[in-house]
Amino acid sequence: MEVQTSQNTADKIKAVSLSLFARKGFEGTSLAEIASRVGIKKPSLYAHFKNKEDIFLAVIDKVMADYIAYFETVANKLVNRQAEEKLFILLKENTDYLRDEELGLIWKRMMLFPHETLKEKLKEKFLASEEKMTGTILAILKELKEDGIIQENTEEVLDAYYCLMDGTFEQVFYYPEIEHKRRLQHSWQVFWKGIKR
Amino acid sequence: MEVQTSQNTADKIKAVSLSLFARKGFEGTSLAEIASRVGIKKPSLYAHFKNKEDIFLAVIDKVMADYIAYFETVANKLVNRQAEEKLFILLKENTDYLRDEELGLIWKRMMLFPHETLKEKLKEKFLASEEKMTGTILAILKELKEDGIIQENTEEVLDAYYCLMDGTFEQVFYYPEIEHKRRLQHSWQVFWKGIKR
DNA sequence: GTCTATAAAAGGATAGAC
DNA sequence: GTCTATCCTTTTATAGAC
């Protein structure tokens, strides 16, 4: 296994494209600008990718894979923690990860305004990661219920938790980090009081 | 004051453009398609608007004005209601209004992915409507506190309420109406339990 | 105000030399 | 793999007749 000391051209194209697609969207990004930032000429892009859509898909694949890999590391952080902590860490780590501006932006764009021709492909990938998340949350809730810490209505708690997650996710983009942290803390406190026995 | 029996051309352009900008974004929408849907030729657009950006700004102005007008009618619905109800109605009406697909979509696009050159202008308009909202919410919270119904920490409650609002707003776009209604109900219940004394 | 005609630029994509 | 040169299409925008 070779150690990669510097990015090859294809990786550079993906990195540059991620940044541009995130900030300007698919239509708003031109191949000319991608090539220029990579430091090559436009036609050279076609030596690495079939066309513009192909570049976009490669970027998305990487984003998804990275996110799922990240989620695994978070899941590992949860072992040996109190159930209450687990629930909070899951929430916090998720927003921290997506706060990385470009990553969060392209993730958001994908989910909210999927490119028409890629809608199906995106939805499929997205659902897979959502299932994992729900499984992890449900396991924590079960633990909390068995210990008699929270109320019995799992569906209510799950719905409220996802709403909390979506709300904090959305707010990552509006507010500076310090303000967002306060909002997250407050929202979490109210949520926790709301689900306790 | 004349009664407008049918839309004039400028209004038709705005209506058609709203729909297209909402679904395809600024770059994804062409003047050719706007003109075609209005039923005129492309160059005729320039008799009504200076350029593409000008059309976009006119659309946004209308969206903002409509939203603020709607908010006024909601505020009127609140009088003579219990404070708890007021808080819930505000939440529910807001998502109901934004559920209108195109309206919600363009609203979302504006806030999350403002067109680079228009960022400042959009933020300004948006902040005005947000201030009104916060004023209304704070008045309700004051009422609830004076009656000893909710806890004293206003900032915590306000932050959690906005998170709830942002979460339900986001979910309007993911889930069908019936499922969204259930999620809203559950999230509200947990929130309410969380802020009560 | 609407049209035809046309400009001027930018976009994605290919051919072929090196 | 990268380049120059080029193609084709689409896009925004203007000129000028009616």
Side-chain angles (χ1 to χ4, degrees):
Chain A
M1 193 155 119
E2 292 234 8
V3 176
Q4 193 80 35
T5 51
S6 78
Q7 276 185 319
N8 61 32
T9 306
D11 284 341
K12 244 187 252 165
I13 293 171
K14 276 193 268 182
V16 162
S17 301
L18 166 63
S19 167
L20 288 172
F21 284 141
R23 288 187 291 110
K24 305 180 161 198
F26 185 80
E27 285 90 358
T29 300
S30 72
L31 295 182
E33 192 170 4
I34 294 174
S36 153
R37 297 206 178 205
V38 171
I40 58 178
K41 300 295 177 184
K42 216 172 25 161
S44 304
L45 294 171
Y46 290 87
H48 305 274
F49 298 93
K50 227 178 64 210
N51 52 32
K52 191 181 177 183
E53 251 188 25
D54 195 31
I55 298 179
F56 185 73
L57 278 176
V59 168
I60 296 304
D61 270 342
K62 188 167 161 25
V63 168
M64 286 288 189
D66 285 0
Y67 181 71
I68 287 174
Y70 178 78
F71 187 75
E72 298 294 337
T73 73
V74 172
N76 287 336
K77 280 194 191 176
L78 297 182
V79 293
N80 295 327
R81 297 280 199 159
Q82 281 191 314
E84 173 184 351
E85 258 186 307
K86 284 185 189 171
L87 217 49
F88 182 75
I89 291 173
L90 200 60
L91 178 69
K92 179 149 186 9
E93 291 284 334
N94 211 267
T95 61
D96 280 353
Y97 183 69
L98 292 171
R99 183 192 316 286
D100 173 339
E101 249 181 70
E102 286 170 352
L103 211 59
L105 272 177
I106 203 160
W107 183 260
K108 189 153 219 164
R109 248 189 225 278
M110 267 168 24
M111 292 200 306
L112 299 178
F113 306 111
H115 192 248
E116 201 59 44
T117 62
L118 307 174
K119 233 172 186 163
E120 297 310 311
K121 259 188 140 152
L122 290 176
K123 195 146 197 169
E124 213 174 286
K125 287 173 197 283
F126 175 64
L127 283 181
S129 82
E130 201 191 21
E131 257 176 52
K132 271 197 180 180
M133 175 80 84
T134 301
T136 306
I137 299 170
L138 283 177
I140 303 175
L141 295 186
K142 198 178 161 204
E143 220 179 306
L144 284 164
K145 261 168 37 183
E146 279 167 2
D147 294 345
I149 297 174
I150 65 166
Q151 54 148 305
E152 286 292 325
N153 188 343
T154 304
E155 199 190 45
E156 183 180 303
V157 176
L158 187 64
D159 284 351
Y161 187 74
Y162 265 124
C163 182
L164 176 65
M165 204 159 220
D166 287 335
T168 55
F169 171 54
E170 177 121 5
Q171 293 181 342
V172 163
F173 300 93
Y174 298 161
Y175 306 110
E177 186 164 0
I178 188 108
E179 180 177 353
H180 183 266
K181 206 171 165 179
R182 186 204 75 219
R183 286 174 178 269
L184 170 63
Q185 198 64 42
H186 285 161
S187 302
W188 164 260
Q189 278 160 12
V190 168
F191 169 77
W192 183 250
K193 276 181 248 170
I195 67 169
K196 262 198 301 194
R197 256 239 158 88
Chain B
M1 193 153 118
E2 292 233 7
V3 175
Q4 193 80 35
T5 51
S6 79
Q7 275 186 320
N8 61 33
T9 306
D11 285 341
K12 245 186 252 165
I13 293 172
K14 275 193 269 182
V16 162
S17 301
L18 165 63
S19 167
L20 288 171
F21 284 141
R23 288 186 291 110
K24 306 181 162 198
F26 185 80
E27 285 89 359
T29 299
S30 74
L31 296 180
E33 192 170 3
I34 294 174
S36 153
R37 297 205 179 205
V38 172
I40 59 177
K41 299 296 177 184
K42 225 180 1 173
S44 304
L45 294 172
Y46 291 87
H48 304 276
F49 298 93
K50 227 177 64 210
N51 53 32
K52 191 180 177 183
E53 253 190 22
D54 195 31
I55 297 179
F56 185 73
L57 279 176
V59 167
I60 296 305
D61 270 341
K62 189 168 159 24
V63 168
M64 286 287 189
D66 284 0
Y67 180 72
I68 287 174
Y70 178 77
F71 186 76
E72 298 293 339
T73 73
V74 171
N76 287 334
K77 280 194 193 175
L78 298 182
V79 293
N80 295 327
R81 297 279 199 160
Q82 281 190 313
E84 173 184 350
E85 259 187 307
K86 284 184 188 171
L87 218 49
F88 182 74
I89 290 173
L90 200 60
L91 178 69
K92 180 150 184 7
E93 290 284 334
N94 210 267
T95 62
D96 281 354
Y97 182 70
L98 292 170
R99 183 191 318 284
D100 172 339
E101 251 182 69
E102 287 171 351
L103 210 60
L105 272 178
I106 202 159
W107 183 261
K108 190 153 220 163
R109 250 189 223 276
M110 265 168 24
M111 293 199 305
L112 300 177
F113 308 113
H115 193 248
E116 202 59 44
T117 62
L118 307 174
K119 232 171 187 165
E120 297 309 311
K121 262 188 138 151
L122 290 176
K123 196 145 196 171
E124 214 174 285
K125 288 173 197 285
F126 175 64
L127 283 180
S129 83
E130 202 192 21
E131 259 177 50
K132 271 197 179 178
M133 175 81 85
T134 301
T136 306
I137 298 170
L138 283 177
I140 303 175
L141 294 186
K142 199 179 160 201
E143 221 179 308
L144 285 164
K145 260 170 35 184
E146 278 167 3
D147 294 347
I149 297 174
I150 66 166
Q151 54 148 302
E152 286 293 324
N153 189 342
T154 304
E155 199 189 44
E156 182 179 303
V157 176
L158 187 64
D159 284 350
Y161 187 73
Y162 265 124
C163 183
L164 176 66
M165 205 161 220
D166 287 336
T168 55
F169 171 55
E170 177 120 5
Q171 293 181 341
V172 163
F173 300 91
Y174 298 160
Y175 306 111
E177 186 164 359
I178 188 106
E179 180 178 352
H180 183 266
K181 205 172 164 178
R182 186 204 76 217
R183 286 174 178 270
L184 170 64
Q185 197 65 44
H186 285 161
S187 302
W188 166 260
Q189 278 160 14
V190 168
F191 168 77
W192 183 249
K193 277 181 248 169
I195 67 169
K196 261 199 301 196
R197 255 241 155 88

